[in-house]
Amino acid sequence: VLARAAFSKKAETVTLLENHAILDTLPALFDHFSALTTEDIRAMVLAFVKKSGLSIRHAGGVYFIPPELSPTLAALCDVLRAVGTNTVWTLPIADLGDASVTLGALAKETLDEEVATIEAELTAFNASDVRTRDSTLERRLKKFDELRGRANLMAGALSFRADALYEKLSSLEAEVKRRLVGDPPSGALHADVASQPDAFDADVGF
């Protein structure tokens, strides 16, 4: 045995039991690859705000979080401050008519754009000669659930009606479910399944 090293899952440490030049760089490499990076922090924040928040600026960086999620936001901020020298600001928004109207309009615009993007994807699927994979369609169904949840949060927090948005989501959701069970669209011709090419996944390709 040239060298031996042990890793403690509980303590998350590496210990050199029998040293050798081949392991000289192991501790440094372990520290490097186990350290939290700015990309890790960014991913944590974006995972939360994209699902539950509203970007105030198109470039990002400032987000509105509904009051119902204040405890979750506070917990996230505590984690961010604990894992490094990160600074997070949480500022209350005054419950003023103009502010609510502006944020409500922005929320509707953002949600409408996301729904329009999915609608364009489905239109592209319909126009393609390649059958779409079920996994791709199932991810779209999950996206509908996420959008509906965000719409409920925003509409409740900012007091705007989202009936048209819900109607569009339901329509698109029904279309995706129809494609999953294999019913042909109105006026479509039945094709020989054996002659169709491999299914296409919009997220990962063929």
Side-chain angles (χ1 to χ4, degrees):
V1 178
L2 290 177
R4 293 174 60 225
F7 171 67
S8 170
K9 289 184 178 180
K10 185 176 181 179
E12 295 188 352
T13 57
V14 170
T15 304
L16 302 182
L17 303 178
E18 294 184 24
N19 211 346
H20 188 278
I22 197 173
L23 294 180
D24 284 349
T25 59
L26 181 59
L29 288 172
F30 176 78
D31 291 341
H32 173 75
F33 287 106
S34 61
L36 283 172
T37 66
T38 53
E39 284 301 311
D40 296 324
I41 300 299
R42 179 175 179 272
M44 290 171 60
V45 174
L46 289 181
F48 173 67
V49 298
K50 282 187 174 182
K51 185 175 181 179
S52 307
L54 170 68
S55 179
I56 303 299
R57 301 188 308 142
H58 289 295
V62 181
Y63 298 88
F64 168 75
I65 305 298
E68 293 88 340
L69 295 177
S70 294
T72 306
L73 175 61
L76 174 63
C77 292
D78 289 342
V79 170
L80 294 176
R81 295 184 183 108
V83 297
T85 55
N86 303 300
T87 302
V88 185
W89 290 277
T90 55
L91 304 175
I93 296 179
D95 188 14
L96 301 176
D98 290 345
S100 295
V101 170
T102 300
L103 286 173
L106 181 58
K108 291 182 67 175
E109 178 185 348
T110 300
L111 292 167
D112 285 341
E113 287 176 355
E114 292 187 41
V115 172
T117 297
I118 298 179
E119 186 175 19
E121 289 179 352
L122 294 179
T123 300
F125 295 163
N126 290 333
S128 174
D129 294 330
V130 181
R131 184 175 63 85
T132 306
R133 289 180 182 172
D134 288 352
S135 59
T136 299
L137 298 175
E138 288 166 357
R139 282 193 291 272
R140 296 305 177 272
L141 287 178
K142 183 178 179 181
K143 181 66 174 178
F144 291 143
D145 288 338
E146 293 176 356
L147 281 173
R148 190 175 286 107
R150 289 182 64 207
N152 287 335
L153 278 173
M154 296 301 171
L158 300 173
S159 302
F160 67 84
R161 297 185 62 86
D163 297 347
L165 178 63
Y166 294 142
E167 184 177 346
K168 174 64 75 173
L169 280 173
S170 296
S171 175
L172 293 174
E173 188 175 40
E175 169 66 12
V176 171
K177 289 180 177 178
R178 180 194 62 75
R179 292 177 65 92
L180 274 172
V181 299
D183 293 339
S186 177
L189 297 176
H190 290 280
D192 183 2
V193 175
S195 66
Q196 292 184 4
D198 292 338
F200 175 71
D201 189 315
D203 295 314
V204 299
F206 289 99

